């Protein structure tokens, strides 16, 4: 029996490798986004903690120096949050780019897999036709050989 050889198998193999790379980039982008979001949440938590401490300072005996320090700490925390929000947006954009690239690579790989399937189907059709032709030739030969014997 003939063996199926896909002419563009090397291209399909490259598409698999590209998909694996895109999956890896997607995973890295997702991890980075999660990390940046966690950092942002920690900053928000720290801000809430500082605000609570500031409220407690304001309720007790008022110490202007401690109140000013508390207010500066809160303002500094707000600045850190703004910077971290930018980092989160950058990570989200990188994640979206990685996701769209992965989708594109997957579509391309699936297209090549469909081409391979069609080539395999055509191979099976050709193989079936070849076998049919061989069987017909064998039957014709036997029929012809049988009719020659009856004439003798």
């Amino acid at each position: 029996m003939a063996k199926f050889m896909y002419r563009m198998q090397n291209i399909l193999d490259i598409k698999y490798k590209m998909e694996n790379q895109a999956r890896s980039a997607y995973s890295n982008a997702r991890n980075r986004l999660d990390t940046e979001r966690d950092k942002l949440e920690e900053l928000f938590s720290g801000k809430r903690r500082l605000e609570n401490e500031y409220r407690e300072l304001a309720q007790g005996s008022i110490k202007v120096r401690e109140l000013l320090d508390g207010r500066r700490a809160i303002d500094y925390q707000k600045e850190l949050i703004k910077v971290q929000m930018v980092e989160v947006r950058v990570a989200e954009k990188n994640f979206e780019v990685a996701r769209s690239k992965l989708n594109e690579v997957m579509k391309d790989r699936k297209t090549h897999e469909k081409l391979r399937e069609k080539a395999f189907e055509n191979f099976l059709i050709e193989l079936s036709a070849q076998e049919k032709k061989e069987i017909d030739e064998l039957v014709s030969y036997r029929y012809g050989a049988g009719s020659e014997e009856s004439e003798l």
Side-chain angles (χ1 to χ4, degrees), residues 38-55:
D38 289 344
K39 286 179 185 177
L40 182 61
E41 185 55 40
E42 287 176 23
L43 289 172
F44 276 122
S45 176
K47 180 181 169 237
R48 285 189 295 270
R49 183 183 45 79
L50 288 171
E51 287 172 342
N52 288 336
E53 289 174 6
Y54 184 76
R55 278 190 210 99

Side-chain angles (χ1 to χ4, degrees), residues 70-125:
R71 176 53 52 212
R72 283 190 199 119
I74 291 171
D75 291 341
Y76 180 70
Q77 197 73 10
K78 286 180 181 179
E79 290 300 317
L80 290 177
I81 288 172
K82 286 179 186 176
V83 170
Q84 189 60 34
M85 288 176 92
V86 170
E87 292 294 322
V88 168
R89 279 190 227 112
V90 168
E92 285 173 344
K93 286 181 182 177
N94 289 339
F95 174 71
E96 289 300 319
V97 167
R99 185 173 58 150
S100 65
K101 185 172 181 174
L102 176 60
N103 285 338
E104 192 65 34
V105 169
M106 286 175 67
K107 286 179 189 175
D108 200 24
R109 185 231 347 130
K110 286 179 183 180
T111 301
H112 280 274
E113 283 182 343
K114 292 279 187 196
L115 289 172
R116 184 181 189 282
E117 289 173 13
K118 294 231 184 247
F120 184 67
E121 288 172 6
N122 288 338
F123 169 77
L124 291 178
I125 290 170

